[in-house]
Amino acid sequence: MDKIGKIWFSIVFVLFIVFMWIMIQTFRPVRNVQPDDVMKIEGNVVDVKEGPGFDIVITLENDSHYYYINRGLMNGLTIEQVQSNILNKVVTLYPIKRWTIFTRDSNMGHISKIIINNKVIYNEINNDTHEKTIQ
């Protein structure tokens, strides 16, 4: 192999490693959420509906992010229950904070905790100051 071939192979190998790191970071599952893994977002809930994969999708006023409770319908929540608790009210959401190729602002949209009027509606964060609502 000549010098140009070795340089080309080295560049392709480095690009492959970078690509694989980005893919692993992007599609890594969300497990064992800690308090440092979330960000705080406040807003008025304008819509709550069922999403794909038994998710509960929450839309905030003047916010273009896609917020969802992952498998919320499988964890004992219902659309009607969540709607009656948070629809048209100001809530505090704690979505996962992780940079990926699709979430360059680090807001994944996967909700780990919901608080309304200092009352916890949903919490999946380990080692949190509030009790977990799912196991």
Side-chain angles (χ1 to χ4, degrees):
M1 187 182 290
D2 61 345
K3 187 175 181 178
I4 293 176
K6 289 180 183 179
I7 292 172
W8 182 84
F9 180 75
S10 298
I11 291 171
V12 169
F13 180 73
V14 168
L15 289 175
F16 175 75
I17 296 297
V18 168
F19 174 77
M20 290 306 295
W21 177 82
I22 289 172
M23 289 300 105
I24 289 170
Q25 179 70 15
T26 300
F27 297 108
R28 178 176 54 147
V30 176
R31 294 189 189 128
N32 193 22
V33 180
Q34 299 296 320
D36 293 339
D37 297 335
V38 296
M39 61 181 20
K40 182 178 179 180
I41 305 287
E42 292 184 325
N44 185 34
V45 177
V46 293
D47 192 21
V48 176
K49 60 186 174 186
E50 183 176 346
F54 303 102
D55 294 349
I56 297 174
V57 178
I58 298 171
T59 305
L60 296 181
E61 187 174 40
N62 300 323
D63 192 336
S64 62
H65 289 95
Y66 179 83
Y67 296 105
Y68 65 97
I69 300 173
N70 192 42
R71 295 192 176 100
L73 297 175
M74 292 176 64
N75 290 327
L77 297 173
T78 65
I79 297 294
E80 295 79 18
Q81 173 190 13
V82 176
Q83 283 177 339
S84 67
N85 285 332
I86 68 173
L87 191 60
N88 298 319
K89 298 177 184 170
V90 176
V91 298
T92 304
L93 303 179
Y94 291 85
I96 300 291
K97 175 179 60 176
R98 183 191 299 167
W99 184 92
T100 69
I101 194 72
F102 303 115
T103 59
R104 295 187 190 131
D105 63 352
S106 298
N107 185 344
M108 282 192 68
H110 174 120
I111 299 171
S112 294
K113 183 163 122 179
I114 301 174
I115 296 179
I116 183 167
N117 298 329
N118 296 322
K119 180 183 174 195
V120 176
I121 303 297
Y122 174 78
N123 188 7
E124 67 177 10
I125 302 173
N126 295 322
N127 304 317
D128 191 35
T129 56
H130 298 103
E131 184 176 333
K132 287 178 72 171
T133 57
I134 66 161
Q135 300 303 324

